């Protein structure tokens, strides 16, 4: 890098690439089980293309969990302060449940895995670096995190090969997300996903269900509002009240996050949640998911003092949520 001759944009690009290279090397060193094989560089356009295959927020969220290594497994729960008694998979009862087991070996997900197996084999046969190798001999960054390392492009050194690798990554990510979606529908049956009664205070809400037999919650009635008490639109207030009245709750320990609640609200109202009143970017399109969850929490908190009786939601919100895995946390 020549600070005297290079223009500022070129210098900034080289600095960014250097920082990214260092971060990826540290990631591979810190979490080799999932990211071994990255070697300091990934094919970011290929990952972005794979993410474009998901049109729903739920699918995108599952895909990002795969890419950042945030899939919640019993192996991880067991390693973290022994949150479960055993790391053995609850679904097949055969071996430790980690990412490799979920995506490739657990018999419980054969139905979700089967449609993709032949497509994966055909796509891999066209990638010279993977051709003829068993899947378990591929780099873990591909088999467990679905991240293509940049060195594969140099190894193949052909435009057609690049397209075949792109096709393989897209198929793999679709397979992984399909398995996670199937697994998500079964998690409610697993006792290790539910806290003991003594631990309810650690979770942000009771588990959200619907439609199921539930504890009846009286429909909310509110006092007359003033502009200082409600700074959003009247339409948003009416949608929010209608949604709160339709929620189904049961008397049982569980969990639901504001990220999940805001997606449910938007599906119910068929409108994106508006920005916070103090926000300065109202015309920039849909807000990030985390910001939408924050706005929902603010709006529910704003409604609560205006209720004539009852509560907006029959549960307690806390800042600490054990149902979410911090990105980049220990394996």
């Amino acid at each position: 890098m020549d600070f005297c001759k290079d223009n500022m944009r070129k210098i900034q690009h080289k600095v960014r690439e250097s920082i990214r290279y260092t971060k990826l090397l540290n990631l591979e060193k810190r979490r080799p089980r999932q990211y071994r094989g990255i070697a300091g560089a990934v094919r970011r356009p290929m990952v972005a293309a794979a993410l474009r295959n998901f049109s729903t927020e739920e699918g995108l969220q599952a895909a990002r969990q795969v890419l950042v290594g945030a899939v919640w497994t019993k192996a991880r729960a067991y390693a973290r302060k022994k949150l479960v008694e055993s790391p053995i998979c609850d679904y097949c009862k055969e071996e430790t449940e980690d990412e490799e087991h979920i995506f490739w070996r657990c018999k419980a997900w054969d139905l979700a895995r089967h449609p993709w197996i032949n497509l994966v084999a055909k796509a891999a046969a066209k990638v010279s670096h993977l051709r003829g190798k068993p899947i378990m001999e591929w780099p873990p960054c591909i088999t467990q995190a679905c991240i293509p390392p940049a060195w594969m492009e140099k190894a193949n050194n052909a435009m057609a090969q690049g397209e075949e690798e792109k096709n393989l990554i897209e198929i793999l990510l679709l397979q992984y997300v399909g398995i996670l979606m199937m697994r998500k529908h079964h998690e409610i049956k697993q006792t290790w996903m539910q806290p003991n009664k003594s631990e309810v205070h650690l979770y942000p809400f009771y588990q959200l269900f619907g439609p199921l037999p539930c504890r009846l919650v009286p429909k909310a009635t509110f006092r007359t509002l003033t502009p200082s008490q409600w700074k959003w639109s009247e339409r948003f207030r009416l949608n929010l009240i209608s949604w709160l009245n339709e929620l189904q709750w049961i008397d049982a320990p569980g969990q639901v996050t504001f990220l999940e609640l805001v997606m449910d609200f938007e599906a119910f109202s068929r409108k994106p949640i508006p920005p916070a009143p103090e926000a300065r970017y109202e015309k920039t399109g849909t807000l990030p998911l985390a910001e939408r969850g924050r706005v929902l929490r603010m709006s529910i908190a704003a409604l609560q003092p205006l209720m004539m009786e009852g509560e907006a939601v029959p549960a307690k919100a806390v800042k600490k949520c054990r149902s979410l895995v911090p990105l980049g946390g220990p394996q």
Side-chain angles (χ1 to χ4, degrees):
M1 185 185 306
D2 192 331
F3 287 95
C4 297
K5 296 181 180 180
D6 292 342
N7 60 45
M8 182 57 65
R9 180 170 295 182
K10 187 174 182 180
I11 293 174
Q12 290 173 341
H13 172 73
K14 289 183 178 181
V15 170
R16 284 195 301 269
E17 288 299 313
S18 178
I19 294 173
R20 186 177 291 117
Y21 175 79
T22 303
K23 293 287 187 182
L24 288 173
L25 285 181
N26 291 337
L27 174 64
E28 182 177 3
K29 183 178 179 180
R30 183 164 53 90
R31 304 178 69 178
R33 183 177 61 81
Q34 291 175 282
Y35 292 104
R36 180 164 49 83
I38 288 181
V42 300
R43 302 183 68 178
R44 289 180 289 128
M46 193 177 293
V47 175
L51 286 173
R52 284 195 289 270
N53 290 320
F54 302 98
S55 58
T56 65
E57 190 66 44
E58 186 180 33
L60 275 172
Q61 184 179 10
R64 293 183 185 119
Q65 284 181 333
V66 174
L67 294 170
V68 302
V71 176
W72 191 235
T73 66
K74 284 200 73 177
R76 176 170 286 159
Y78 184 76
R80 291 189 177 189
K81 300 181 181 179
K82 303 296 186 292
L83 297 179
V84 293
E85 294 182 359
S86 168
I88 300 301
C89 177
D90 278 332
Y91 301 98
C92 68
K93 312 290 185 182
E94 292 184 359
E95 59 184 33
T96 298
E97 186 194 52
D98 56 13
E99 290 83 0
E100 185 177 301
H101 173 78
I102 293 171
F103 295 145
W104 296 106
R105 295 197 300 273
C106 186
K107 296 178 181 178
W109 317 128
D110 282 346
L111 187 63
R113 189 182 301 113
H114 179 74
W116 303 101
I117 290 298
N118 290 336
L119 293 175
V120 170
K122 290 179 180 179
K126 298 178 181 179
V127 178
S128 61
H129 190 76
L130 303 178
R131 187 182 302 128
K133 288 186 176 182
I135 290 176
M136 292 301 102
E137 293 184 9
W138 296 1
C141 62
I142 296 177
T143 60
Q144 297 190 40
C146 209
I147 293 181
W151 53 261
M152 288 181 62
E153 182 178 20
K154 298 177 181 178
N156 292 312
N157 196 26
M159 182 68 71
Q161 284 291 330
E163 286 300 315
E164 296 301 340
E165 292 168 22
K166 174 176 172 290
N167 184 43
L168 173 62
I169 294 301
E170 290 180 357
I171 292 172
L172 284 175
L173 195 56
L174 287 168
Q175 172 187 320
Y176 295 172
V177 170
I179 291 172
L180 292 181
M181 291 296 100
M182 185 177 181
R183 180 173 176 260
K184 181 178 181 179
H185 293 306
H186 287 74
E187 281 180 351
I188 189 61
K189 302 176 182 179
Q190 302 304 313
T191 57
W192 72 274
M193 298 297 293
Q194 308 293 334
N196 297 325
K197 291 184 178 180
S198 61
E199 297 177 335
V200 171
H201 66 282
L202 295 176
Y203 285 75
F205 282 95
Y206 288 119
Q207 181 69 43
L208 178 65
F209 292 97
L212 290 175
C214 66
R215 172 165 60 87
L216 296 178
V217 179
K219 289 190 177 296
T221 54
F222 296 88
R223 300 183 181 89
T224 303
L225 298 174
T226 65
S228 63
Q229 293 172 316
W230 183 260
K231 299 182 180 181
W232 289 277
S233 68
E234 180 67 8
R235 172 56 56 187
F236 175 48
R237 185 183 71 86
L238 295 176
N239 285 339
L240 185 61
I241 293 174
S242 298
W243 172 70
L244 288 171
N245 285 331
E246 291 296 325
L247 287 180
Q248 305 287 311
W249 302 88
I250 67 170
D251 279 321
Q255 61 186 2
V256 67
T257 68
F258 281 99
L259 304 185
E260 296 162 306
L261 286 172
V262 74
M263 288 189 285
D264 186 79
F265 168 77
E266 292 177 337
F268 174 84
S269 64
R270 298 184 179 180
K271 292 183 178 296
I273 199 163
E278 71 275 10
R280 299 180 180 179
Y281 45 88
E282 295 188 12
K283 304 297 183 182
T284 58
T286 305
L287 302 173
L289 180 59
E291 174 64 14
R292 283 145 56 198
R294 188 183 75 88
V295 172
L296 180 64
R297 182 169 184 168
M298 289 173 57
S299 60
I300 292 175
L303 276 181
Q304 183 61 49
L306 305 175
M307 295 190 66
M308 299 180 66
E309 61 178 354
E311 294 182 320
V313 290
K316 178 183 178 182
V318 297
K319 293 182 179 180
K320 183 176 181 181
C321 177
R322 288 172 56 188
S323 67
L324 296 182
V325 181
L327 304 187
Q331 298 186 59

